Amino acid sequence: MSDRLISCDDHMDLSQLPADLWTTRLPASLLDRAPHVEERDGRPVWVCDGKIWGRWVGKPSPGVTSERPVKAVYDAFDRAGIHDPSPRRAAVAELRLADMDRDGVTAQVIYGPVHQISTGDHELRAACYSAYNDWLMEFCQAAPERLIGLPMLPETPEGALAELERVRKKGGVRQVVFMVANIDPKLDDPAWEPLWQALEDSGIILSWHITAFAKPNARVVGRAASVFENTKLFLANFVEPFVDLFAWGILERHPGLKMVLAEGGAGWLPWLVQALDHQHDQLWEAKEFWADKGGAELATKPSDLFRRQVYATFQDDHVAMALLPFFGEKNLLWASDYPHPDSVWPHSRQAIARQMGHLSPEVRRRITHDNAAELLGLGGAS
């Protein structure tokens, strides 16, 4: 496969961010509470309000050499033979671009820390998102057609709208993300309506990303079974809000709103959309009963709305490849998930050949490049 790839779900993790990101960018009123790097038990970690958010890899941990360490989870750098944990590769533009070139990737969609900005203080969390967003947009200026950073939106209607409008004024924003598993209130609340309208008016794509990180379970701690725990939570992140998109007429009212479901896979979607179509058929069999209860607002079949407005990313999904007649090729976006443990980097071409070898070159190119180029307006990405 000679075509260049566009990866639609890659990451900028908390562990790789500059140590002074928040101490130099938060408003003066919050600086004394800014997330910062401290050494705890001899290891550098992020700390906010006394709570440890996660590790920082800007300096080597004690006793770790360039030899491959023994650890529970191997990441993409391990697979590539890069075992020194000290470089913040993904947050150093020239190193990240070199890693992309190594994998034949012409552009990456970059998601930020998916669960670790975990303060319960809404004001502080929104300020942390804004500071991160400003830094990310500056980072992406190193190669704006290749590094597509996604600003993070707070999980409340007012906060999400305010941050969307703020980053929109800066220009150059193609796509944003918020962690739908953490939203308050739920999507049926009319308070979200201004956000849907602003997204539709601007043409900015809204992404949801999984936030599933299993809490310790006494039954599996220390057992190999623990590696399967997150699987239980992946779909739980998306099923309820995904159904709400159709049930509450959000996609129906906003035909220009584009949605991306990131890192939840795609093979599960055909059955769910089929089930929604079945329920929709039943609703319209009894349309007189439901007419004054909101039924009249749900005219379009869920499968038609899905094909028109919803996209899903995947990195290794043989089930989705077997169900292409349902997707019609247009709604699938390939991703490498660089540099996470689930990533197929730096062996993306092998992963693509393994699951798409039966497809024509034209279809493979659509899924691994053209869909994303068209959705994101990357005319020069070739």
Side-chain angles (χ1 to χ4, degrees), residues 24-91:
T24 59
R25 292 174 182 266
L26 283 188
S29 61
L30 294 172
L31 273 179
D32 62 335
R33 300 176 61 198
H36 58 280
V37 174
E38 291 183 11
E39 287 216 1
R40 297 283 182 94
D41 298 324
R43 297 179 182 274
V45 294
W46 285 99
V47 177
C48 181
D49 286 343
K51 178 183 177 182
I52 295 176
W53 278 6
R55 68 189 182 117
W56 185 63
V57 297
K59 62 183 291 188
S61 295
V64 177
T65 70
S66 60
E67 298 300 319
R68 182 173 185 155
V70 177
K71 55 185 180 179
V73 177
Y74 291 98
D75 60 25
F77 297 138
D78 293 314
R79 295 189 195 103
I82 301 171
H83 307 317
D84 182 352
S86 59
R88 298 168 30 249
R89 293 189 66 84

Side-chain angles (χ1 to χ4, degrees), residues 68 76 125 205 208 278:
R68 182 173 185 155
R125 186 165 70 243
I205 304 152
W208 297 345
H278 176 71

